[in-house]
Amino acid sequence: MELLTVNGYMSQIAKALFANYGDIHVLMPNAVSIGNPADVRALLSNPVVRKADYYKTLRFTGTENTVSARDLELANMRHRQLGPYFNPSYLSKMENKVMRHGILSLRQKWDGLLAQSVDGRAEVNYCEDFLFLAFDTIGTLVLGRQIEELSANDTPTAKSIANTIMYLGVRAMFQLLPRWLAALVLRPWEGRYNKLSAHIHESIASRRELVAALARSGADEIKPADLLQAFIDAEDSESKTRMTPEQIHGECVLMMMAGSDTVSGTLTWAVHLLMLYPQHYGRAVAEVRSQFGQEHTITYSECRAQLPFVEACLYESLRLSPVTGGLLPRVSPKGGLTIQGHFIPEDTLIFVNMFAVNHHATVWDQPSLFNPQRFLDNDSARHNVLTFSMGKRVCPGRQLAWWEMLTVLANILKDYDWALPADYALLGPGVLDKHGHPRQMDETQFIIIKPARPERDCRLVISKHAAQPRV
Ligand code: HEM
């Protein structure tokens, strides 16, 4: 598995495996890969199937975290501890932070660029802006203090989180090397990771002091609602266990990793795809602008209630270009299991091909086509998108991700007209792939699928949408 993540081609490998060998095949001695949605559902919802040892590499600190836990008891306990804080009721308490560091911050930056422009247009790199927006949001929720680097155009925290993602990825890869060599290679990254780690320790300590001071003063002021507080307060409803300081620290590091480039990546693919399919872009713009005026900032609940097509565009981006579209490794349980008539002995690695699941012809008509319409009034299509995984190890941050992504996408569709730069002809609605659909930008994947050349392929020319007088 480490070898697959080292080279950045994991998503291409997953696609090629599915195209060449179908939805079940032997991948290596003692490893198979599956991609049939029915098989994958059965596997991921099987309560005794555990994650493979590969996930050890995602144990960033001295202790297991939600993603690295392979022990089923521990994983279940973490989901019980954290579940209440990722549900809509707690999320609504964080809504103003999500809006402020998400769409409002992006708008401030883009409006600032347009204000300086002589012709009313500005070129932005949406991949970069979404990444900093996602870092600001998750950084604020996890560190418990305002991070406003996107609008300030200075991004030290974002850079240190990005560095940490790199560091952890590289550290995972270099497990294959002798220890001394790995230590040498990792040294430049390690220092910066240690700084972020210290920052997290400080945040936890100062939050504990704040809450203690509030309690002592007897003031009515309620404690802050964010992920930092959630991790401090989280308690297992069954055993009443809370997390140790080390575990809280581990969750903070993890959430910054898990909740940043997943969100920004999905938004990036959504904008890219809308630029390749002008008919869907036009429909999304018309839907948003027919319902909301220029001065209004569209909230999450308004998106859900009034913008089914914009929501469908995100579902279709999650399906067609799943940021987690590589191979998720699991282990067959005691006694083994049978898939499509093939017996898979116990302790066999089973790689779930996430790309195959979202492109399987048994579920998706014309799977390579970006067609948001397939999600309109279609609950079963939504249910079939497995980009957030499913079962016991489903992504706990999926609702937070939806809050961030929908509010950003809906508001930028409303507020700005988008166009590809005039000097860019590499990709566009008329440049077709082997299926006869607009060709997508090249990608790379270490953990998350990202554009391979964002500085070239994620440029967008924006201008302020001039509102027509309402009749
Ligand atoms: C579009 C955005 C996102 C996508 C597509 C996504 C996707 C996924 C997927 C596929 C998994 C399962 C991984 C595996 O089994 O190897 C996962 C797990 C996880 N995600 Fe997300 N995620 C997103 C956003 C977030 C956010 C915003 C957070 C938190 C703030 C988050 C936190 C987690 C955690 C803690 C796990 C581990 C769960 C477990 O193993 O039990 N994710 N995510």
mmCIF file of all heavy atoms in Angstrom, residues 12 161 204-205 317 433:
data_model
loop_
_atom_site.group_PDB
_atom_site.id
_atom_site.type_symbol
_atom_site.label_atom_id
_atom_site.label_comp_id
_atom_site.label_asym_id
_atom_site.label_seq_id
_atom_site.Cartn_x
_atom_site.Cartn_y
_atom_site.Cartn_z
ATOM 1 N N GLN A 12 -4.934 6.910 -10.633
ATOM 2 C CA GLN A 12 -4.813 6.350 -11.988
ATOM 3 C C GLN A 12 -4.731 4.828 -11.929
ATOM 4 O O GLN A 12 -5.292 4.133 -12.767
ATOM 5 C CB GLN A 12 -3.575 6.885 -12.703
ATOM 6 C CG GLN A 12 -3.750 8.284 -13.267
ATOM 7 C CD GLN A 12 -3.159 9.325 -12.342
ATOM 8 O OE1 GLN A 12 -3.284 9.207 -11.126
ATOM 9 N NE2 GLN A 12 -2.520 10.332 -12.882
ATOM 10 N N ILE A 161 -0.235 23.743 8.123
ATOM 11 C CA ILE A 161 -1.085 22.542 8.025
ATOM 12 C C ILE A 161 -0.716 21.778 6.745
ATOM 13 O O ILE A 161 -0.567 20.556 6.741
ATOM 14 C CB ILE A 161 -2.592 22.897 8.026
ATOM 15 C CG1 ILE A 161 -2.979 23.655 9.309
ATOM 16 C CG2 ILE A 161 -3.440 21.625 7.903
ATOM 17 C CD1 ILE A 161 -4.422 24.142 9.345
ATOM 18 N N ILE A 204 -5.174 23.908 23.346
ATOM 19 C CA ILE A 204 -5.925 23.067 24.285
ATOM 20 C C ILE A 204 -5.800 23.647 25.690
ATOM 21 O O ILE A 204 -6.785 23.816 26.412
ATOM 22 C CB ILE A 204 -5.423 21.604 24.236
ATOM 23 C CG1 ILE A 204 -5.614 21.014 22.835
ATOM 24 C CG2 ILE A 204 -6.154 20.743 25.273
ATOM 25 C CD1 ILE A 204 -4.942 19.665 22.615
ATOM 26 N N ALA A 205 -4.547 24.018 26.054
ATOM 27 C CA ALA A 205 -4.331 24.532 27.412
ATOM 28 C C ALA A 205 -5.098 25.828 27.615
ATOM 29 O O ALA A 205 -5.769 26.027 28.642
ATOM 30 C CB ALA A 205 -2.839 24.740 27.646
ATOM 31 N N SER A 317 -20.058 15.981 -8.654
ATOM 32 C CA SER A 317 -18.594 16.137 -8.554
ATOM 33 C C SER A 317 -18.028 15.089 -7.604
ATOM 34 O O SER A 317 -16.980 14.487 -7.881
ATOM 35 C CB SER A 317 -18.218 17.520 -8.020
ATOM 36 O OG SER A 317 -18.815 18.506 -8.793
ATOM 37 N N ASP A 433 -12.325 13.805 -24.332
ATOM 38 C CA ASP A 433 -11.553 12.618 -23.953
ATOM 39 C C ASP A 433 -11.997 11.429 -24.802
ATOM 40 O O ASP A 433 -12.807 11.576 -25.726
ATOM 41 C CB ASP A 433 -11.705 12.336 -22.444
ATOM 42 C CG ASP A 433 -13.143 11.988 -22.060
ATOM 43 O OD1 ASP A 433 -13.977 11.722 -22.968
ATOM 44 O OD2 ASP A 433 -13.446 11.970 -20.852
#
